[in-house]
């Protein structure tokens, strides 16, 4: 989720806010390891970038909270470098990109749920930004919609380490199965009992 320059790349308008968590957890490298290995296991990679009009009309007249932070920073404007998925993120033509996300929850106002169900997806692994905001919000929605949800702990970042740790340690376990990218991939590769298949369930990695 939201693997965009303004979050992940030096020079990004929100990058300075995430730097401590990005570096502590080696997030950018872990994101690519997750994406590449998940794709190699046959999982569907789904990108959900967040973007806004130049005047931030999607936020209404008086945004507050995290939306105000984004607007005040002049970040994530559609068509700009900052809103593009970072060039070092591994992307392939087989990956899907969900358009129209301009709110916290990736399911709200988009066709994400339809796309996942159309592909027979029953399990989702969530990674990206922001740990305690967009990731946690999508996590709650996916949980409510009946998906089996994994939160990838070492491939997610937010504004500081304190907020990251509080969300992962106190909230994620209520709505997901928190796991490192390696633990998730190893678990996903375990064959079903009595089966030689390497795919335990139809799975999607949402980044």
């Amino acid at each position: 989720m939201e693997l965009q320059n303004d979050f992940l790349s030096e020079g990004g308008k929100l990058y300075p806010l995430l730097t401590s968590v990005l570096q502590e957890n080696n997030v950018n490298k872990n994101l690519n390891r997750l994406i590449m290995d998940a794709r190699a296991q046959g999982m569907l990679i789904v990108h959900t970038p967040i973007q806004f009009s130049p005047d931030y009309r999607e936020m209404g007249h008086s945004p507050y909270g995290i939306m105000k932070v984004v607007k005040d920073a002049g970040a994530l404007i559609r068509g700009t470098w900052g809103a593009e998925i970072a060039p070092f993120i591994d992307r392939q033509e087989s990956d899907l990109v969900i358009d129209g996300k301009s709110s916290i929850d990736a399911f709200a106002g988009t066709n994400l749920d339809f796309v996942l169900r159309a592909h027979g997806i029953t399990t989702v692994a969530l990674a990206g930004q922001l740990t305690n905001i967009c990731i946690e919000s999508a996590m709650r929605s996916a949980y409510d919609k009946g998906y089996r949800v994994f939160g990838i702990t070492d491939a997610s970042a937010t504004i500081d380490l304190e907020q990251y740790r509080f969300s992962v340690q106190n909230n994620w376990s209520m709505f997901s199965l928190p796991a490192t990218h390696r633990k998730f991939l190893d678990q996903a590769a375990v064959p079903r009992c009595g089966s030689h298949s390497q795919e335990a369930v139809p799975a999607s990695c949402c980044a």
Side-chain angles (χ1 to χ4, degrees):
M1 296 181 64
E2 303 173 11
L3 309 188
Q4 293 158 270
N5 284 315
D6 271 339
F7 287 121
L8 297 183
S9 299
E10 290 190 28
K13 294 182 177 179
L14 300 172
Y15 176 79
L17 300 178
L18 277 65
T19 303
S20 61
V21 184
L22 290 171
Q23 294 178 350
E24 176 77 12
N25 291 338
N26 208 12
V27 170
N28 288 350
K29 287 186 178 179
N30 289 338
L31 280 166
N32 270 338
R33 290 171 183 147
L34 171 68
I35 290 169
M36 290 187 288
D37 289 355
R39 188 188 295 115
Q41 288 188 23
M43 296 185 203
L44 178 68
I45 307 301
V46 182
H47 294 277
T48 59
I50 186 169
Q51 302 180 71
F52 301 96
S53 302
D55 60 1
Y56 295 96
R57 68 190 68 178
E58 296 87 353
M59 298 184 184
H61 298 297
S62 302
Y64 60 95
I66 190 62
M67 290 299 190
K68 186 176 188 302
V69 172
V70 170
K71 183 177 181 179
D72 288 349
L76 302 169
I77 295 175
R78 187 177 295 106
T80 66
W81 172 84
E84 294 175 0
I85 294 175
F88 52 79
I89 293 298
D90 184 81
R91 291 180 64 191
Q92 301 295 327
E93 289 186 4
S94 59
D95 300 346
L96 295 179
V97 178
I98 300 299
D99 294 320
K101 183 180 186 299
S102 59
S103 62
I104 301 302
D105 180 4
F107 288 93
T110 74
N111 66 341
L112 176 59
D113 186 51
F114 173 83
V115 168
L116 296 177
R117 296 189 189 281
H119 284 268
I121 301 300
T122 58
T123 296
V124 294
L126 304 177
Q129 282 67 240
L130 294 168
T131 308
N132 58 330
I133 301 174
C134 292
I135 294 289
E136 191 172 309
S137 182
M139 184 180 287
R140 292 168 185 251
S141 286
Y143 184 86
D144 273 346
K145 293 177 186 298
Y147 293 98
R148 183 172 177 84
V149 185
F150 287 85
I152 309 303
T153 58
D154 59 351
S156 178
T158 193
I159 291 173
D160 60 46
L161 282 165
E162 182 179 359
Q163 292 191 50
Y164 165 83
R165 288 169 179 155
F166 185 90
S167 180
V168 170
Q169 293 171 9
N170 294 279
N171 295 343
W172 275 30
S173 61
M174 298 294 103
F175 313 105
S176 75
L177 300 165
T180 64
H181 77 282
R182 191 71 266 158
K183 182 178 179 181
F184 165 71
L185 291 166
D186 288 347
Q187 181 173 337
V190 174
R192 295 176 183 174
C193 293
S195 171
H196 296 293
S197 171
Q198 287 297 109
E199 186 179 0
V201 291
S204 169
C205 184
C206 290

